[in-house]
Amino acid sequence: MSEGLVILLVIFVLAMFVGFEVITKVPSTLHTPLMSGSNAISGITIIGSMVVAGMGATTLATVFGVIAVAFAMINVVGGYAVTDRMLQMFKRKPEAER
Amino acid sequence: MADFIELAYLVAAVLFIVGLKRLASPATARNGNFLSAVGMLIAIVATLFDRQIVSFQWIVVGGMIGSALGLWMARAVKMTAMPQMVGILNGFGGGASQLVAAAVWHRLSQTGVLLPTDTAVSIYASTLIGGVTFSGSMIAAGKLQEIIPGRPVLFRFQHLLNLILLVAGAGMGAFLLISPGHPGLFIAMNVMALVLGVMLVIPIGGADMPVVICLLNSYSGLAAATTGFVIANHGLIISGALVGASGIILTQIMCRAMNRSFANVLFGGFGAQVGVAGDHRGLAARGIRETTAEDAALMLGYARSLIVAPGYGLAVAQAQHQVRNLADLLEKRGVTVKYAIHPVAGRMPGHMNVLLAEANVPYTQLYDLDDINPEFERTDVVLVVGANDVVNPAARNSPNSPIYGMPILDVDKARNVIVLKRSMNPGFAGIENELFYNEKTFMLFGDAKKSLTALASEVKEL
């Protein structure tokens, strides 16, 4: 196992712990927006997708890359937009009837 | 430049973490989501400066298509359909990871250079996790949308077959490590991952989908993290780990709320079993007390405190607005109104809260199980709308009951209980509910929406 992989594993494990600490503090009221919002974060795969779509290696790799960019972007834009749509409904006091 | 890009990813990761931290309160949550989105934008812009990228046109094409579809989905989706939406998004995340792995593999196999072992292992892990997430999520979303039958699909040797698929997939990866090349084998491995995703989700019943969606949420994070290992990118690994952790926590919460072990949900085929019959005759002999909207409105109108216990039946009847309307009228009469939300009241964690928030119920009135249970003793009236198993005292009292041990809302401890229900048919699991035969319980039969409207107009008359 190379040194590079070890460092990546260290980062992964520590980030998991940070995740546990932060997420346990999210109240159950917000668990649905938490899921859609964290979903948007997992759209970070967009980074890898962009690189393979743009490096112009082989045609097949580019095709895969473009589809991956589209998929990841659905995840990112859809995730953040729908989370925002939900969160704006959570209000302390009811507003006057629309 | 490479350092600058790495630093930008670090900033993005920090913004993701701060964004998640701000989800700790509904007051700061929207801002947190915005910060998280800014982090994503920074990461995307920084990647455009990556020296490996030689042409942008395809990135723009894919990005535009994805953004348009994502925005359309986010705008169009109904709040009741949120579990499917999250399921589909999970799936696309997993699919992207699988595709990136395939693209990297194809490029490296063309160069004729031997794949470094750690890159190869990462590619195969990304392929398996990404593929399972993609196909599994699509099946889960299909079940929730009822395009695919929600009942568990079970057959003999199912678990054995799944094990064989998993071992075969991993075995192919191992073989490709020793003997590189073989595009056919790599394709077979991709197909196997997709088949495995389908096979893992079809035996799970519709009622267990909340757990599955949480689990797939976790997988989508892990898939992103494995992509990070493939391209040695710290930002991806950190973000993927955060999402992975989130999914694991939510899966645990859901399992605890349903009183089921994780293994039981995954392999049990729950919902296929016929509910344990139990002794209904003793209960039925005690009889039930039926009430009218008029009498129930009287009880509500002169109560000091009311707790509403909503279940998924409320959402099915689309009666959230009628509940809020009734609660408003009662509050004007000086009744304190609270809502008791069981973790599995909706079809995914927190789903009921979103549905009530959509109906303009202030979040300060929404209480979770642990906060509301001590309150029932001091409460005049509980209004149960479309909830069944989550208010069944059998979970506390009857060791023989299939739901024994499941955490429930202790509504039977309140002074009076009004249950809105369509008929006396036992619920999905076929378990008789002791609450309905309690001497403090009054049953108001009929469609929840109509009953609530009738109650509201009777309260107005008082």
Side-chain angles (χ1 to χ4, degrees), chain B residues 38-116:
Chain B
V38 171
M40 187 62 75
L41 186 65
I42 291 174
I44 291 173
V45 171
T47 309
L48 290 174
F49 290 95
D50 193 309
R51 249 185 303 156
Q52 293 180 77
I53 297 181
V54 291
S55 74
F56 293 95
Q57 81 253 31
W58 291 113
I59 297 176
V60 174
V61 169
M64 301 249 281
I65 295 172
S67 303
L69 276 174
L71 202 59
W72 171 73
M73 282 167 66
R75 291 258 173 88
V77 69
K78 287 203 180 75
M79 286 299 150
T80 40
M82 202 48 74
Q84 296 90 302
M85 170 82 178
V86 170
I88 289 173
L89 290 178
N90 280 335
F92 283 136
S97 296
Q98 190 184 12
L99 285 164
V100 171
V104 172
W105 192 88
H106 186 252
R107 184 178 65 89
L108 292 179
S109 70
Q110 293 297 305
T111 55
V113 186
L114 200 65
L115 263 73

Side-chain angles (χ1 to χ4, degrees), chain B residues 105-377:
Chain B
W105 192 88
H106 186 252
R107 184 178 65 89
L108 292 179
S109 70
Q110 293 297 305
T111 55
V113 186
L114 200 65
L115 263 73
T117 311
D118 37 6
T119 309
V121 170
S122 306
I123 287 177
Y124 302 142
S126 192
T127 301
L128 282 177
I129 300 177
V132 166
T133 311
F134 177 71
S135 61
S137 298
M138 293 306 162
I139 297 291
K143 282 196 173 210
L144 285 162
Q145 188 68 42
E146 286 163 18
I147 302 168
I148 302 168
R151 68 186 160 72
V153 179
L154 296 166
F155 53 87
R156 285 183 73 189
F157 304 122
Q158 193 161 19
H159 301 316
L160 186 68
L161 181 66
N162 288 349
L163 189 70
I164 291 171
L165 280 172
L166 183 65
V167 171
M172 285 177 190
F175 181 77
L176 283 168
L177 277 183
I178 322 165
S179 167
H182 307 291
L185 207 54
F186 184 68
I187 293 169
M189 194 177 148
N190 275 277
V191 173
M192 207 152 284
L194 293 170
V195 174
L196 186 61
V198 176
M199 297 299 286
L200 286 174
V201 177
I202 52 165
I204 301 169
D208 278 342
M209 278 304 132
V211 182
V212 177
I213 294 288
C214 294
L215 188 66
L216 290 167
N217 194 36
S218 178
Y219 285 176
S220 77
L222 295 179
T226 51
T227 307
F229 281 98
V230 172
I231 60 171
N233 183 305
H234 301 173
L236 269 166
I237 293 175
I238 296 173
S239 319
L242 291 174
V243 181
S246 157
I248 291 170
I249 291 174
L250 292 169
T251 309
Q252 281 176 341
I253 291 174
M254 282 297 109
C255 283
R256 213 177 301 138
M258 302 205 301
N259 192 32
R260 311 257 309 284
S261 73
F262 185 49
N264 184 277
V265 172
L266 281 190
F267 305 118
F270 189 72
Q273 326 160 210
V274 182
V276 181
D279 187 13
H280 297 166
R281 264 170 262 122
L283 276 176
R286 275 155 61 186
I288 54 158
R289 270 151 296 274
E290 205 177 327
T291 187
T292 60
E294 205 179 341
D295 290 344
L298 216 59
M299 198 186 276
L300 290 169
Y302 292 100
R304 272 169 304 149
S305 47
L306 167 71
I307 295 179
V308 180
Y312 195 66
L314 173 89
V316 172
Q318 288 285 311
Q320 304 94 299
H321 293 272
Q322 279 71 19
V323 168
R324 211 277 328 260
N325 192 21
L326 176 65
D328 281 356
L329 288 168
L330 291 170
E331 281 188 307
K332 276 189 200 127
R333 296 180 56 88
V335 185
T336 23
V337 180
K338 290 174 180 170
Y339 294 82
I341 314 288
H342 192 278
V344 294
R347 281 207 164 172
M348 68 186 288
H351 193 197
M352 187 54 70
N353 304 70
V354 171
L355 295 173
L356 290 172
E358 190 191 17
N360 250 332
V361 174
Y363 65 82
T364 43
Q365 289 182 358
L366 307 176
Y367 291 81
D368 67 16
L369 192 76
D370 295 332
D371 292 328
I372 200 76
N373 264 345
E375 301 255 335
F376 283 111
E377 283 174 58

Side-chain angles (χ1 to χ4, degrees), chain A:
Chain A
M1 201 155 73
S2 67
E3 197 189 341
L5 186 62
V6 174
I7 293 172
L8 297 183
L9 273 173
V10 169
I11 292 173
F12 176 72
V13 172
L14 292 181
M16 279 290 251
F17 275 97
V18 173
F20 278 118
E21 281 304 309
V22 176
I23 308 287
T24 42
K25 304 227 165 48
V26 177
S28 55
T29 309
L30 293 180
H31 276 166
T32 296
L34 166 67
M35 283 182 76
S36 58
S38 62
N39 225 308
I41 295 177
S42 75
I44 188 76
T45 322
I46 186 74
I47 293 175
S49 314
M50 284 166 70
V51 174
V52 291
M55 66 169 58
T58 61
T59 316
L60 191 63
T62 309
V63 170
F64 283 165
V66 174
I67 303 173
V69 168
F71 276 14
M73 215 52 197
I74 291 176
N75 215 336
V76 169
V77 175
Y80 283 121
V82 85
T83 307
D84 188 64
R85 198 179 136 205
M86 277 190 271
L87 288 174
Q88 68 178 358
M89 301 188 314
F90 282 88
K91 295 196 183 76
R92 186 174 284 277
K93 292 215 176 67
E95 59 187 31
E97 204 63 41
R98 279 167 284 186

